[in-house]
Amino acid sequence: MSSTPKKRPKSKPNASPSSTPPIPHSIVEPPENFFPSKEEFLRLLAVLAIASSVVVTCNFLVSFFNPTQKPFCDSVSDSLDSLSDFCEPCPSNGECYQGKLECVHGYRRQGNLCVEDGDINETAKRLSKWVEKRLCEAYAQSLCSGTGTIWARQSDIWNDLDGHILMDNFGLDNAIWTHTKRKTMETVGKLLESRTTSYGTKELKCPDLLAEHYKPLTCRIRHWITKHVLVIVPVCALLLGCTILLWKVRWRWYLSSRVEELYHRVCDILEENALMSKSVNDGCESWVVASQLRDHLLLPRERRNHVLWKKVEELIQQDSRIDRYPKLVKGETKVVWEWQVEGSLSSRMRRRQESSKSKSREGVKITSNQQHGMLKAGKLQNSRA
């Protein structure tokens, strides 16, 4: 037996095309739904466009509302122009260090700026008004009464501000309060008058025009009268003279009209009394006591005015129809007045008026009787017909 191993004979490939195995058709050609259709491709483009617009919009909104700020340039840096492309310039009233911004006292940050604090401004205005009121009231008191402070040292005003009630909102050692006081002094310095003494101390005073508004009303009136006394005295004298003259003219007019009224009433009373004494036999006297007639006609306030009745007596004395003579009445001698009935024109006129009235009444009665008779005759004729 041979030890040489036998080699297996190699199989020869069959070159005939019928001997190769067939390739599957699905591997050679893609399926029909492998590529998207035209409608699906348009939809894909629309979705991509919408997504891109949403991303761009969100990025814009984020960058707008939350922008990435540049760091601030240092305040002490001298090369701000060269660094302006890489950092923001430090705003006024602010201090910048290592890219951070801090506003000085009295200012607060608003974006990239340092704006004035409104609370500090309001407090400074109230403090300046308080200082103005104190100084102007003291100066006004000095102008009116001669007692009061005219000039006040600025250092004293600075120390007095620490005792104000607004100090409780800031605190004594607070830098904000110090800035508020400094701003207050700046405002007061612009409003009030200032001077520097020989010792270098600065003092403040309320202006004269502003102090006038703080004077009391009585002080203003007194000063105004003192200033215009040369005009007020003649005007007052003229007004007083005109008033007295008008009062005298009015009094004379009233006196004359009242005297005439009383005179006519006296004549009427005396005439009626005389006629009554002649027509009635009951012991009625034809005269009247003058003093009793006076007290009867005058009002209580007019009895004190002796001129009024004296004017009436003068008119009575000038009247020839009235007799005046003394007569003993109840044991006292008194002046009596008596009306002369005989020959009196007024009595004659009254008699004529009375006679005319009686005649007219009789005529009216006759005419009424005639009319009544005519009416009766007419009725009888009608009844007969």
Side-chain angles (χ1 to χ4, degrees):
M1 252 179 97
S2 161
S3 60
T4 304
K6 292 180 180 181
K7 294 182 183 181
R8 184 177 295 180
K10 294 180 181 180
S11 59
K12 295 181 179 180
N14 193 3
S16 61
S18 60
S19 62
T20 59
I23 300 172
H25 183 73
S26 61
I27 295 176
V28 177
E29 295 181 358
E32 294 180 357
N33 57 355
F34 179 78
F35 294 102
S37 63
K38 184 177 181 180
E39 295 178 356
E40 291 177 348
F41 182 74
L42 293 176
R43 291 176 183 174
L44 179 62
L45 290 179
V47 170
L48 291 177
I50 293 173
S52 300
S53 61
V54 170
V55 171
V56 171
T57 304
C58 292
N59 188 19
F60 174 76
L61 293 176
V62 170
S63 62
F64 180 78
F65 289 104
N66 189 16
T68 57
Q69 296 180 353
K70 297 179 183 180
F72 289 96
C73 304
D74 292 345
S75 303
V76 296
S77 177
D78 297 332
S79 58
L80 294 179
D81 295 335
S82 62
L83 299 177
S84 59
D85 296 336
F86 305 98
C87 61
E88 291 287 341
C90 189
S92 58
N93 302 315
E95 295 179 355
C96 302
Y97 181 71
Q98 293 183 353
K100 295 181 180 180
L101 170 64
E102 289 185 3
C103 297
V104 298
H105 294 298
Y107 295 85
R108 58 185 175 183
R109 183 173 177 178
Q110 186 173 356
N112 294 340
L113 301 176
C114 289
V115 297
E116 217 169 1
D117 195 344
D119 296 336
I120 294 178
N121 287 337
E122 185 66 25
T123 305
K125 288 180 182 179
R126 294 174 62 181
L127 290 174
S128 60
K129 191 67 178 178
W130 177 72
V131 173
E132 173 194 334
K133 185 178 180 181
R134 284 188 62 186
L135 295 182
C136 291
E137 285 181 350
Y139 185 37
Q141 184 180 359
S142 176
L143 293 176
C144 292
S145 61
T147 59
T149 304
I150 300 178
W151 291 92
R153 291 186 298 179
Q154 189 175 6
S155 58
D156 295 339
I157 299 174
W158 179 273
N159 296 328
D160 291 340
L161 290 175
D162 293 333
H164 198 273
I165 190 172
L166 294 176
M167 177 61 188
D168 299 337
N169 299 331
F170 295 93
L172 184 60
D173 298 330
N174 199 332
I176 298 178
W177 176 249
T178 304
H179 175 75
T180 305
K181 290 198 300 180
R182 188 179 298 109
K183 192 171 184 61
T184 301
M185 297 306 298
E186 291 177 0
T187 305
V188 170
K190 296 177 182 178
L191 181 65
L192 305 180
E193 295 181 3
S194 61
R195 71 176 183 181
T196 304
T197 61
S198 57
Y199 299 99
T201 304
K202 191 174 182 179
E203 295 180 342
L204 300 175
K205 181 181 79 72
C206 180
D208 294 339
L209 295 177
L210 187 58
E212 291 292 332
H213 298 283
Y214 288 90
K215 286 182 179 179
L217 182 60
T218 55
C219 180
R220 295 183 190 179
I221 295 174
R222 187 172 66 252
H223 283 186
W224 185 85
I225 293 175
T226 305
K227 185 178 180 180
H228 302 86
V229 64
L230 297 178
V231 179
I232 294 175
V233 171
V235 171
C236 291
L238 181 61
L239 291 177
L240 182 61
C242 293
T243 303
I244 294 174
L245 181 61
L246 291 175
W247 181 82
K248 287 185 177 180
V249 171
R250 185 179 179 278
W251 169 248
R252 288 181 181 179
W253 176 82
Y254 168 76
L255 186 64
S256 61
S257 60
R258 181 61 174 164
V259 166
E260 291 181 2
E261 180 184 357
L262 292 174
Y263 166 72
H264 290 300
R265 292 187 63 183
V266 168
C267 293
D268 293 339
I269 291 174
L270 291 177
E271 186 177 4
E272 291 178 0
N273 186 66
L275 292 174
M276 190 179 296
S277 64
K278 295 293 183 180
S279 61
V280 180
N281 297 323
D282 57 353
C284 181
E285 301 293 342
S286 60
W287 45 266
V288 178
V289 180
S291 59
Q292 294 179 357
L293 187 60
R294 177 197 62 193
D295 296 339
H296 174 71
L297 294 177
L298 294 182
L299 298 175
R301 67 173 182 273
E302 293 178 340
R303 295 173 187 174
R304 302 175 185 176
N305 187 6
H306 303 286
V307 179
L308 179 61
W309 189 250
K310 189 175 180 179
K311 295 287 184 181
V312 176
E313 290 179 346
E314 291 178 357
L315 294 178
I316 296 297
Q317 290 177 2
Q318 297 173 3
D319 195 345
S320 60
R321 299 171 298 178
I322 301 174
D323 289 340
R324 300 163 303 280
Y325 55 89
K327 188 175 183 62
L328 187 64
V329 180
K330 294 182 180 181
E332 295 182 3
T333 302
K334 295 185 178 182
V335 179
V336 297
W337 294 344
E338 185 178 0
W339 184 266
Q340 298 296 324
V341 180
E342 289 78 6
S344 176
L345 295 176
S346 59
S347 61
R348 292 178 184 177
M349 292 176 65
R350 285 187 179 183
R351 289 175 183 176
R352 290 178 181 178
Q353 290 177 357
E354 289 177 359
S355 62
S356 62
K357 288 180 181 180
S358 61
K359 289 180 181 180
S360 62
R361 290 174 183 175
E362 291 178 358
V364 169
K365 289 181 180 179
I366 292 172
T367 53
S368 62
N369 292 332
Q370 290 178 355
Q371 290 178 358
H372 185 65
M374 291 173 65
L375 290 173
K376 284 185 177 181
K379 288 181 180 179
L380 290 172
Q381 291 178 358
N382 293 329
S383 62
R384 290 175 182 178

